[in-house]
Amino acid sequence: MALRIAPALLLLFSAAMAATPAALAAAPAKPAPEFLPPTVGVLLRFQRPPGNIFVKEIRREVEYIFQPAGLDLRWEVLDGSRVTGAYNRVVLVEMRGHCNPSAIRDPREFPGPNVPLGWTIVNDGEVISRVDVDCDAIGGLASAMRGRLPNSLLVERIFLRVLGRVMGHEMLHALLA
């Protein structure tokens, strides 16, 4: 058996050695393997369900922040505990309070400026992939500007922008850990 393989290997070796550098350069190059960005499952769980437009807007804000990183953010709104996608990484985002820009209430109902807008959970010194965002605190911040701005649409836009920035900031902590 070894005697039959040896001539075939000798033939292949001599053919490879006979190829000139010009012939090798003219050969079509193999395409480079395509880079697929890592997928990150952004699992949203709401204390009070918002409208579909809210989820679309907040998604746009957060994806803008993560655009330079090249991550493939895949969004799911959790109704229960069932996750439907497969991801390289997962971040659970707990949305607390009224996460609806049209439900921004009177600023006197909110505790004040020293309330955290969002936080990342740390367990035994290790950051876990869970983020909490306080929509009521962000709504209080936005509603405090209501008297200084010409219309309520601008207040709603500020609410969405701040909420997206807070969520993006906290997600960075969870993903970089």
Side-chain angles (χ1 to χ4, degrees):
M1 180 81 166
L3 293 175
R4 292 183 193 167
I5 295 175
L9 287 175
L10 184 60
L11 181 64
L12 288 173
F13 179 73
S14 61
M17 295 306 290
T20 64
L24 291 175
K30 290 183 182 178
E34 190 173 317
F35 172 73
L36 296 175
T39 58
V40 176
V42 181
L43 310 178
L44 299 172
R45 187 178 308 159
F46 290 93
Q47 187 176 17
R48 292 177 182 86
N52 290 335
I53 294 173
F54 171 79
V55 174
K56 180 182 172 185
E57 287 295 316
I58 205 64
R59 179 180 174 175
R60 187 174 63 80
E61 288 289 336
V62 173
E63 285 179 352
Y64 176 77
I65 293 167
F66 281 95
Q67 185 178 9
L71 297 174
D72 181 13
L73 299 179
R74 306 225 178 135
W75 298 77
E76 282 191 51
V77 176
L78 298 178
D79 292 332
S81 60
R82 180 185 235 175
V83 177
T84 60
Y87 312 108
N88 298 108
R89 294 282 309 264
V90 172
V91 177
L92 174 62
V93 181
E94 296 278 349
M95 305 294 283
R96 302 183 178 281
H98 294 85
C99 296
N100 189 344
S102 60
I104 295 173
R105 300 179 306 218
D106 186 351
R108 292 173 290 183
E109 295 180 27
F110 300 100
N114 295 327
V115 174
L117 304 178
W119 54 93
T120 307
I121 306 299
V122 178
N123 186 15
D124 274 341
E126 183 178 333
V127 178
I128 63 173
S129 295
R130 178 179 159 189
V131 168
D132 285 43
V133 176
D134 189 343
C135 293
D136 286 341
I138 295 169
L141 179 68
S143 67
M145 298 180 186
R146 183 172 274 146
R148 300 179 194 145
L149 298 172
N151 62 33
S152 63
L153 288 176
L154 195 53
V155 173
E156 290 179 12
R157 187 75 221 139
I158 289 171
F159 173 79
L160 289 169
R161 175 72 51 94
V162 171
L163 196 129
R165 299 295 165 101
V166 169
M167 184 187 298
H169 173 87
E170 298 303 332
M171 283 176 60
L172 280 170
H173 288 302
L175 290 171
L176 292 176

